[in-house]
Amino acid sequence: MKKFYITTAIDYANGSPHLGHAYEKVLADVVARFKRLQGLDVWFLTGLDEHGMKVQQSAQKKGIAPQQFVDEIAVEFQDLLKSLNISNDDYIRTTEERHKTVVQNLLQKLFDQGDIYKDHYRGYYSIRAEQFVLEKEMVDGQWPEIYGEVVEITEPNYFFRLGKYQDWLIDHIKTHEGYIYPQFRANQVLEFLKEPINDLCLSRPKERLSWGIPLPFDDDYVTYVWFDAVTNYLSAVAPGTLENETYWPADRHVIGKDILVPPHSVYWPIMLKAAGIKPPGGFLVHGFWTTSGRKMSKSEGETVDPLDLIAEFGPDAFRYYVTREMNVGQDSDFTLEKFMTRYNSDLANDLGNLVSRLLNMTQRYCGGVVPAVQVSEEPEKELWASWDSVHQEIVGLYDGFRLHTALERTFQFVSSVNRYAETRAPWKLAKSDSPEDRQRLETALAAMAESLRLAATVLLPVMPGIGEKIFELLGSPAVSIWKGHLKWGESLQGKTLGKAAILFPKTRK
Ligand code: MSP
C-alpha cells in the first residue's frame, strides 16, 4: 500500500492555542482524511515545540518549572485537537526522550563528519525571536517590532555548514516540481538562495538558555530551537535512530508562510542531506488568518474568540468555514459575519434542509424506505449532469490542495439537488392519481437520497462528523474508501432512512 506521511508545524508551547494553530491542524487533517479515502496508508503527525527562551521565561514568570509549564500547555493543545476531530496518528513533544535521542544522534553525526564546528559569534541577538539578526534588517535605524529587544553579544558557539549544500538545495528545488505548494513560495525560496547563505549558529550557551537539548559533544551548550524543532518530523517516526523508516520521508510538511524561509526550506533539507537522510517530499504552505490572535466583535462591546465557535457550532461547521474561506496559500480574514453567513446559508439552508426534506418526504410518501429510480426525464438528466461535473473535478481539486474550490463545487451540487426537489415538487406529485406521477415522485426521492450519499462522501474529509451522520440517516455505513463510490447510481433502494434530524440548528445558543 502506498504510504503518505503528513505533518503540521509543532506549536510553540509558550502560549495558548489560537485560530492559526487550529486552522493548520484542520488543513492537514482534511488532506490526511482525503488520502485515507484514496486508499493510502497515512501517518499523520502533529505536536508541540517545548524548548527555548520564551518557554523558559514564561515558566519563570509563573514561578513553575518549565516541564510543568509545558505539560499544562500540552493539555490545552491536545484538547483543541479533540474538539476539532483531528485524526492525527501520533503527537510528538520535543521534551520526550524519543525526540532528544534523535536530535543528539543527528548532532553527533554532523559533528563527527565535520559539518558542525566551533567559532566565535558576534552579532545582534533578538531575545524575542531567539535568533541572531542582521543589521541590514533594520528599518530607519530601528529593529522591526517582531524582534523586540535586540542586544549585541559575542560568544563562542557551534555552527552548521549550510553553505556547503546551497547548490544542491537550489538544484533540488528546481528539479522537483510541486515540492513547495504554492509555486510562488518556491520562487521566494529560490530568491533567498540567490545570495550566499551563512552557516547556521545552532547552539546556545547553557548559562543563557538552559531549557533545551544539550549538545552531545559539549555539555555547556544546548541546541538552538530550530534545529531541535524541525527534527521532530524524523524523531517521531524513527525513534532512537537515524535509519529511514517506513513512513520516511514526509510527503507533506504543512506549515505557515512565516516559517518556510529559512527554517523549513533551507535548514531542514540541508540537515537531512548532510546526514545522508532523504529530504522531505514536499511542503504545503498556507497563508495567515489576519484576525487570529484578536477577538472578533460580536456586537456592541461583546467579543468572541474564533475558537469558541467550535463548541458553539460544532467542529464540522468550524472546519467547513476555514476550509471554504481560505484559498490555501493566501491570507484570509475571519469574521463572525462571514462565519454566520456560511453557517446559515450553506450548511443550515442548503445542506441541512435537503437532509430534513428528504427524510420527511420519504417518511410521508414511502414509509421511510428509499424507493427505486424509475424515470429519467429532463430534471433527472440535469441532476446527473450536475454530479458528473463535480465527479470529474473533485479528486483533482483535493489532490491539488484547492480545497475551497472543492467545497464550492460540492455546494453548487447541493444547490442543484435543492433546485431539482423544487422542480419535481414531490408534495405536488403526491396529490396526483396518475401512476406516472407516482413513479416521478419515487424517482425524485431516490435521486435525492443518491445525491446526498454522493455529497456526504465527498464532504467526509472536511466534515467527517456530519458526513457520517448523513450516512447514518441514509441507513448506510460511511465509506472508508472513495474508489467505486463516487459514481452516480449506487442505489440506496430499500434502505430505511433515519428519523428527521436537524443537522445545523439555525439560531445561536
Ligand atoms: N514552533 C514553531 C514551528 C516549529 S515546526 C518544526 C512555530 N510555532 S507557532 O506556534 O508559532 O506556529 C505554529 C504554526 O501556526 C505555524 O505553521 C504558523 O505559521 C501557524 N500560524 C501562526 N499564526 C497563524 C495565523 N495567524 N494564521 C495561520 N497560521 C498561523 O512557528
Side-chain angles (χ1 to χ4, degrees):
M1 199 194 272
K2 202 172 162 226
K3 65 93 193 171
F4 185 82
Y5 177 28
I6 182 164
T7 69
T8 68
I10 49 170
D11 304 314
Y12 276 134
N14 64 321
S16 295
H18 58 62
L19 172 62
H21 300 129
Y23 170 68
E24 190 172 284
K25 307 305 176 301
V26 171
L27 171 61
D29 192 54
V30 171
V31 177
R33 286 178 186 270
F34 162 70
K35 294 286 179 184
R36 286 193 199 105
L37 286 160
Q38 289 295 92
L40 272 64
D41 171 14
V42 172
W43 193 256
F44 174 15
L45 173 73
T46 182
L48 203 58
D49 190 356
E50 304 190 337
H51 289 126
M53 190 67 88
K54 278 174 274 184
V55 172
Q56 185 176 303
Q57 288 167 344
S58 304
Q60 234 158 30
K61 241 184 249 159
K62 260 188 120 179
I64 56 177
Q67 189 63 55
Q68 187 190 340
F69 182 81
V70 294
D71 285 350
E72 287 171 12
I73 296 281
V75 173
E76 283 187 49
F77 275 91
Q78 285 172 332
D79 283 349
L80 176 71
L81 295 179
K82 275 186 229 131
S83 75
L84 283 169
N85 200 2
I86 301 298
S87 64
N88 55 304
D89 297 288
D90 193 3
Y91 191 84
I92 184 129
R93 299 180 50 189
T94 54
T95 50
E96 288 174 72
E97 275 317 310
R98 61 171 173 161
H99 174 72
K100 292 186 202 167
T101 315
V102 173
V103 171
Q104 291 192 325
N105 288 350
L106 185 58
L107 285 164
Q108 188 69 53
K109 181 172 172 46
L110 297 176
F111 182 72
D112 290 346
Q113 70 190 39
D115 277 333
I116 290 177
Y117 61 93
K118 196 171 187 183
D119 203 348
H120 270 87
Y121 195 94
R122 185 166 183 278
Y124 295 102
Y125 186 79
S126 150
I127 294 173
R128 185 186 291 168
E130 287 175 36
Q131 66 187 56
F132 285 102
V133 291
L134 299 172
E135 224 171 331
K136 69 174 183 196
E137 293 175 73
M138 288 181 114
V139 183
D140 301 329
Q142 302 279 327
W143 292 105
E145 221 181 293
I146 49 159
Y147 288 145
E149 188 189 350
V150 173
V151 290
E152 200 178 354
I153 55 176
T154 307
E155 63 187 21
N157 260 313
Y158 287 88
F159 290 79
F160 173 47
R161 289 186 207 284
L162 282 181
K164 190 172 152 189
Y165 299 94
Q166 182 160 0
D167 291 343
W168 165 80
L169 184 59
I170 293 171
D171 186 61
H172 187 80
I173 297 171
K174 286 186 176 164
T175 52
H176 288 74
E177 213 195 311
Y179 171 68
I180 300 176
Y181 178 92
Q183 180 58 39
F184 75 91
R185 297 273 174 219
N187 299 340
Q188 281 176 358
V189 179
L190 290 170
E191 204 48 46
F192 178 83
L193 290 170
K194 277 189 176 154
E195 300 276 319
I197 46 176
N198 294 323
D199 288 349
L200 171 70
C201 178
L202 58 64
S203 62
R204 297 290 179 264
K206 263 192 188 160
E207 71 217 20
R208 196 149 58 72
L209 173 67
S210 58
W211 187 236
I213 300 176
L215 296 186
F217 41 83
D218 190 337
D219 203 42
D220 290 337
Y221 290 85
V222 298
T223 186
Y224 158 71
V225 284
W226 274 113
F227 200 96
D228 172 348
V230 285
T231 307
N232 88 87
Y233 306 130
L234 183 65
S235 58
V237 291
T241 141
L242 292 179
E243 293 306 309
N244 292 357
E245 202 269 0
T246 329
Y247 288 106
W248 195 260
D251 294 272
R252 284 286 158 187
H253 289 308
V254 180
I255 53 169
K257 62 177 184 178
D258 58 325
I259 56 172
L260 177 67
V261 190
H264 279 86
S265 60
V266 180
Y267 304 163
W268 180 225
I270 291 184
M271 283 161 64
L272 293 167
K273 171 71 182 165
I277 300 171
K278 280 192 210 134
F283 295 93
L284 171 55
V285 188
H286 62 78
F288 261 46
W289 289 98
T290 45
T291 38
S292 68
R294 277 177 280 148
K295 305 256 180 194
M296 303 176 298
S297 60
K298 198 155 81 175
S299 59
E300 284 291 297
E302 242 190 319
T303 59
V304 59
D305 182 324
L307 296 189
D308 291 344
L309 301 174
I310 305 168
E312 191 172 354
F313 293 93
D316 287 63
F318 182 88
R319 294 168 61 109
Y320 174 73
Y321 175 78
V322 292
T323 315
R324 176 67 185 83
E325 276 309 309
M326 179 78 101
N327 178 350
V328 180
Q330 311 291 322
D331 290 347
S332 199
D333 218 19
F334 196 117
T335 71
L336 190 59
E337 290 70 29
K338 279 200 265 182
F339 181 89
M340 290 316 301
T341 306
R342 290 263 171 235
Y343 182 83
N344 286 324
S345 81
D346 300 4
L347 299 182
N349 284 347
D350 290 352
L351 184 58
N353 273 350
L354 176 59
V355 173
S356 52
R357 258 175 157 180
L358 172 70
L359 299 181
N360 283 327
M361 290 196 290
T362 311
Q363 194 59 46
R364 182 168 316 155
Y365 306 127
C366 299
V369 179
V370 180
V373 169
Q374 296 147 62
V375 297
S376 165
E377 296 173 332
E378 213 39 50
E380 283 74 30
K381 287 186 182 139
E382 268 175 36
L383 182 62
W384 296 331
S386 153
W387 168 252
D388 232 31
S389 67
V390 178
H391 184 191
Q392 278 173 29
E393 271 189 293
I394 199 80
V395 170
L397 291 173
Y398 270 107
D399 240 343
F401 310 121
R402 294 180 54 213
L403 308 177
H404 69 297
T405 313
L407 288 179
E408 187 185 16
R409 295 283 187 276
T410 306
F411 275 79
Q412 279 165 357
F413 173 64
V414 170
S415 298
S416 65
V417 188
N418 277 318
R419 273 200 308 279
Y420 169 77
E422 293 296 327
T423 310
R424 272 310 192 195
W427 50 95
K428 283 189 196 153
L429 293 170
K431 291 184 188 141
S432 160
D433 291 331
S434 103
E436 287 80 18
D437 279 345
R438 178 69 197 175
Q439 286 185 340
R440 290 191 182 104
L441 178 145
E442 293 188 359
T443 298
L445 297 181
M448 285 166 67
E450 174 63 356
S451 301
L452 259 181
R453 179 189 72 77
L454 291 162
T457 305
V458 295
L459 284 174
L460 277 171
V462 181
M463 298 206 283
I466 289 293
E468 277 175 26
K469 180 78 191 157
I470 294 176
F471 271 100
E472 195 187 309
L473 293 170
L474 291 174
S476 319
V479 299
S480 55
I481 193 160
W482 274 3
K483 199 169 169 21
H485 294 289
L486 292 184
K487 267 175 96 171
W488 179 279
E490 182 182 301
S491 176
L492 291 170
Q493 191 190 347
K495 299 274 189 220
T496 303
L497 302 190
K499 296 270 168 291
I502 296 177
L503 294 186
F504 305 99
K506 252 185 137 175
T507 46
R508 299 195 64 184
K509 277 179 221 153

